Amino acid sequence: MKDIIVQKFGGTSVADTDKIKNVARAVIREKNLGHDVVVVVSAMGHTTDILTKLAKDITPNPSAREMDMLLSTGEGVSIALLAMALQAQGCDAVSMNAMQVGIITEKVHTKARILDIKTDKIRKYLDEGKVVVIAGFQGITDDYEITTLGRGGSDTSAVALAGALEAERCDIYTDVEGVYTTDPRIVPCASKLKEISYDEMMELASGGANVLHPRAVETAMTHNTPVRVRSTFKLEDYGTLILGVDKMELHRPVTGVASDMSQLRIVVCDVKDNPGVAASLFDGLAAENISIDMIIQSYARKELHTNDIAFTIDKSDIDKAMGVLEKLKSELCYSNVFVDDKIAKISIVGAGMVGRPGIAAKMFRTLANLGINIKMIATSEIKISCLVDKDNANKAVETLHTVFGLDSNEIADVKGDLPNV
Ligand code: ADP
Ligand code: ASP
Ligand code: MG
């Protein structure tokens, strides 16, 4: 049995028919290296955005089920075209959607999690010598409802397939040459990383580095699947390898900086300072499948017996969240709700910050020197995030990148002489 490589190509890589023909060449190159190849593709170019806009032109609140029916069609187009391009270049290939494969998810429309993947049919096609081209982003429930995995979810489809097939590696082909110390489109002097640990990549992805979907990193970590992020347009480039921390050498305290503008902050004022109040609020939000990121509860005002609770959620969940707050008004007895959608979460990430004092202070001092006010702070062992005004986001990222020594003229060339795998 040959080693299996899973290759994933994102929207820009399959944006038009010439690019699809180019992807076919990249697939054939991998097959010629002696591997069995499974390919996962996203919808062409901005298809998912265009479909979303069509839905919003019909109604401001389309049902989540129908959104999944609509958005899942995008990936259906690319798999068929790529299979045709492979066949036209003399490579035996077959396309499969999530239903044909059996990519089973929870019944949660628009952000389902994968529960199981059937591999028998894929293996049968591989044994016949075919390249198997699979639609990313989509899944199917056990009662045949179509689901999607959330924006950017094709990465997760690819890594989950690699795990289920016990693949040698999952290669995420995209429009940049790897994972950089920050978004290279915002900070041109960002440095490309040769390697990054699963933990650090997870924090960067959750912090807004959309080069990889956070759940893809979580899935890779669970199955211990090596993931490589590399360029569709520069196949000879080594890219960035994502792997366990034990194989890494820790040099710098901070490995990367990320910004996320997809969230908004809700402040619930003057809730009762009683046991169970936070539980009721967050139970209500969880029941609507709303993920919470940062949370701050203020110091209680003893004389009034109240405090404030502030938290951040994804912008797309605002209507559902306001519905929950309305329902809980009499129970929580809050006075006001403020919504702030002009915010950005700025995060610095690095496994090397563990046990090194002064990193948070340096971040806060840097923001203070720029005159930037910090609205919320959250930390993990290897991450510090600050919520700031959206207008200050790029300035904050650029300056933190320089202050923590990440500019490309500061760190050694990481491209080096590496094996071309
Ligand atoms: P795809 O369509 O291939 O899935 P995405 O647009 O989802 O591509 O992700 C690639 C983009 O991620 C890059 O174009 C880049 O602007 C952005 N990005 C954000 N942070 C980083 C980072 N730290 N390293 C590399 N790219 C990043
Ligand atoms: N097509 C989907 C999106 O644009 C999934 C993906 O590209 O990963 O979000
Ligand atoms: Mg993506």
Side-chain angles (χ1 to χ4, degrees):
M1 211 174 69
K2 293 182 192 166
D3 285 337
I4 298 174
I5 297 286
V6 175
Q7 299 181 299
K8 180 259 169 179
F9 295 89
T12 31
S13 306
V14 292
D16 56 40
T17 47
D18 281 338
K19 293 206 167 95
I20 290 175
K21 289 178 195 169
N22 177 52
V23 164
R25 284 188 282 275
V27 173
I28 292 169
R29 174 183 181 270
E30 195 66 56
K31 186 135 172 71
N32 288 343
L33 289 173
H35 300 119
D36 274 341
V37 183
V38 171
V39 189
V40 174
V41 274
S42 296
M44 292 171 71
H46 296 290
T47 302
T48 313
D49 293 329
I50 295 165
L51 293 172
T52 305
K53 179 158 187 316
L54 287 179
K56 297 276 168 174
D57 285 351
I58 299 274
T59 163
N61 291 312
S63 82
R65 180 187 184 278
E66 299 312 326
M67 276 311 281
D68 278 351
M69 290 297 285
L70 178 68
L71 296 190
S72 61
T73 61
E75 273 65 15
V77 172
S78 359
I79 51 168
L81 291 176
L82 179 57
M84 288 176 199
L86 284 162
Q87 290 162 3
Q89 291 180 36
C91 174
D92 199 3
V94 59
S95 67
M96 296 178 85
N97 63 25
M99 191 188 304
Q100 290 167 308
V101 173
I103 300 180
I104 314 297
T105 72
E106 311 165 315
K107 195 172 178 177
V108 176
H109 286 295
T110 76
K111 45 181 161 183
R113 280 176 171 267
I114 297 175
L115 299 173
D116 187 29
I117 297 183
K118 315 277 181 227
T119 55
D120 41 345
K121 214 163 165 191
I122 302 174
R123 287 192 191 278
K124 179 181 147 289
Y125 284 137
L126 291 176
D127 289 344
E128 290 169 9
K130 292 183 167 64
V131 165
V132 186
V133 183
I134 299 176
F137 183 52
Q138 44 176 262
I140 180 111
T141 65
D142 54 11
D143 56 350
Y144 301 101
E145 287 294 318
I146 305 277
T147 52
T148 61
L149 311 182
R151 295 304 306 267
S154 295
D155 297 336
T156 303
S157 310
V159 177
L161 276 158
L165 290 162
E166 294 172 2
E168 176 76 9
R169 206 177 61 238
C170 181
D171 284 349
I172 304 285
Y173 287 83
T174 185
D175 56 3
V176 286
E177 285 168 37
V179 179
Y180 284 71
T181 45
T182 193
D183 189 338
R185 298 194 192 284
I186 297 177
V187 182
C189 64
S191 317
K192 196 178 85 177
L193 298 162
K194 186 178 78 178
E195 297 177 338
I196 184 168
S197 69
Y198 291 131
D199 288 319
E200 289 175 304
M201 191 63 233
M202 178 76 146
E203 294 286 14
L204 278 180
S206 312
N210 54 341
V211 65
L212 259 187
H213 196 237
R215 288 218 313 276
V217 190
E218 186 189 313
T219 309
M221 202 149 67
T222 311
H223 296 280
N224 211 13
T225 310
V227 173
R228 235 173 92 183
V229 176
R230 55 191 297 190
S231 166
T232 309
F233 308 104
K234 248 186 156 182
L235 296 179
E236 70 290 351
D237 200 283
Y238 183 81
T240 301
L241 190 62
I242 305 167
L243 73 180
V245 74
D246 50 330
K247 297 183 192 140
M248 311 275 303
E249 280 183 69
L250 301 177
H251 300 294
R252 279 158 283 127
V254 174
T255 305
V257 184
S259 67
D260 183 358
M261 306 210 197
S262 67
Q263 297 190 353
L264 52 75
R265 175 174 68 148
I266 298 182
V267 187
V268 189
C269 303
D270 303 306
V271 291
K272 281 193 283 182
D273 184 34
N274 285 344
V277 167
S280 298
L281 171 58
F282 292 108
D283 272 348
L285 295 164
E288 290 293 328
N289 258 307
I290 300 173
S291 300
I292 314 293
D293 186 11
M294 300 167 107
I295 303 176
I296 285 188
Q297 176 169 314
S298 70
Y299 184 68
R301 290 177 284 273
K302 283 272 182 288
E303 64 293 354
L304 297 172
H305 209 61
T306 63
N307 58 39
D308 303 330
I309 299 180
F311 55 94
T312 61
I313 58 168
D314 201 86
K315 280 182 181 153
S316 60
D317 284 330
I318 182 62
D319 292 340
K320 280 197 286 178
M322 292 312 277
V324 171
L325 284 166
E326 196 50 50
K327 257 196 259 165
L328 291 175
K329 190 162 181 28
S330 55
E331 187 181 340
L332 302 180
C333 297
Y334 57 79
S335 61
N336 264 314
V337 172
F338 294 111
V339 177
D340 182 1
D341 63 358
K342 302 214 166 25
I343 52 156
K345 181 177 69 167
I346 310 295
S347 306
I348 57 169
V349 172
M353 68 172 72
V354 178
R356 280 201 220 201
I359 307 295
K362 190 166 173 177
M363 179 178 194
F364 303 155
R365 175 59 54 206
T366 304
L367 296 177
N369 289 343
L370 292 168
I372 296 175
N373 194 31
I374 301 172
K375 297 177 172 210
M376 283 173 108
I377 298 168
T379 61
S380 79
E381 230 189 351
I382 61 162
K383 174 208 73 180
I384 304 163
S385 300
C386 293
L387 205 68
V388 303
D389 271 335
K390 192 175 154 196
D391 293 343
N392 291 323
N394 289 354
K395 192 168 57 171
V397 169
E398 270 172 36
T399 312
L400 289 166
H401 194 265
T402 304
V403 163
F404 284 102
L406 299 175
D407 290 355
S408 51
N409 55 345
E410 292 275 335
I411 63 179
D413 179 23
V414 285
K415 288 175 189 158
D417 186 17
L418 293 158
N420 188 23
V421 289

